[in-house]
Amino acid sequence: MLEATKTSVWKNRYAISADGRPLAVWDGSLWTAGGTFELGGRRYRVRGNMWGSTYGMVDQDDTPVAAARRVGRKSWTVEAGGQTYAFHRASLWRDEQELRSADGRRLGSVRRTSMWRGDAVADLPSLQLPVQIFVLAVVLTMWDSSSATGAAGAVAAAG
């Protein structure tokens, strides 16, 4: 299981660990959807479109590794290694995305562990490790973007 711990209030940066062992740091961009991380000496770059609904990940050689489509919808997908993985929002009331099989069985999830700090865990055992981090990063980016949009709306309303 992956654990993401927000390292700064001011940045979209998360320390990612597995079983207490540091793996990577997700360094999310403040201005665009996406960011970077390094895993096992390889650098990965994640980029999203301006609406944050489509993301792609490439390695340091610009080789495509994974792609996510329809992010932010009730159902969305990730394609990696010739496989398509289906994700579903678990509930409108909590921050959790479920990985499901074709017949609807729950195979894993990404969920917030702390609303105040923004920490999260990802249990995605059927995905390769770089793809697990990609999914976690996409979900964190989606949640951070939603939080920023909500905060900006509250400031504008108080205006």
Side-chain angles (χ1 to χ4, degrees), residues 1-7 13-18 24 26 110-114 117-122 136-137 140:
M1 181 178 313
L2 299 179
E3 298 177 38
T5 305
K6 194 156 188 169
T7 62
R13 182 173 290 152
Y14 293 83
I16 299 173
S17 61
W26 166 246
V110 179
R111 65 180 172 79
R112 282 257 196 237
T113 57
S114 170
R117 288 184 37 88
D119 299 350
V121 294
L136 178 57
L140 289 170

Side-chain angles (χ1 to χ4, degrees), residues 26 29 36 55 68 94 97 106 118-119 126-127 129-131 143:
W26 166 246
S29 171
T36 60
Y55 290 83
R94 67 181 191 264
Q97 300 288 320
R106 179 185 167 117
D119 299 350
S126 60
L127 281 65
L129 187 54
V131 179
W143 289 337

Side-chain angles (χ1 to χ4, degrees), residues 31 70 102 146:
W31 309 111
R70 299 176 47 92
S146 291

Side-chain angles (χ1 to χ4, degrees), residues 4-16 26-35 51-52 55 71-72 95 97 110 112 114-120 135-153:
T5 305
K6 194 156 188 169
T7 62
S8 171
V9 174
W10 309 111
K11 297 180 180 181
N12 292 334
R13 182 173 290 152
Y14 293 83
I16 299 173
W26 166 246
D27 195 8
S29 171
L30 290 174
W31 309 111
T32 61
W51 300 280
Y55 290 83
V71 175
D95 286 337
Q97 300 288 320
V110 179
R112 282 257 196 237
S114 170
M115 289 301 295
W116 306 113
R117 288 184 37 88
D119 299 350
V135 170
L136 178 57
V138 166
V139 173
L140 289 170
T141 301
M142 175 181 64
W143 289 337
D144 287 343
S145 177
S146 291
S147 294
T149 302

Side-chain angles (χ1 to χ4, degrees), residues 17-76:
S17 61
D19 302 320
R21 183 176 45 106
L23 286 178
V25 173
W26 166 246
D27 195 8
S29 171
L30 290 174
W31 309 111
T32 61
T36 60
F37 67 92
E38 189 173 310
L39 177 67
R42 292 193 68 79
R43 189 162 181 78
Y44 294 88
R45 190 178 56 208
V46 176
R47 294 287 175 255
N49 65 4
M50 70 188 284
W51 300 280
S53 61
T54 301
Y55 290 83
M57 180 173 74
V58 297
D59 66 13
Q60 62 195 23
D61 301 323
D62 283 333
T63 303
V65 177
R69 304 204 190 318
R70 299 176 47 92
V71 175
R73 305 273 182 134
K74 183 176 180 172
S75 298
W76 54 286

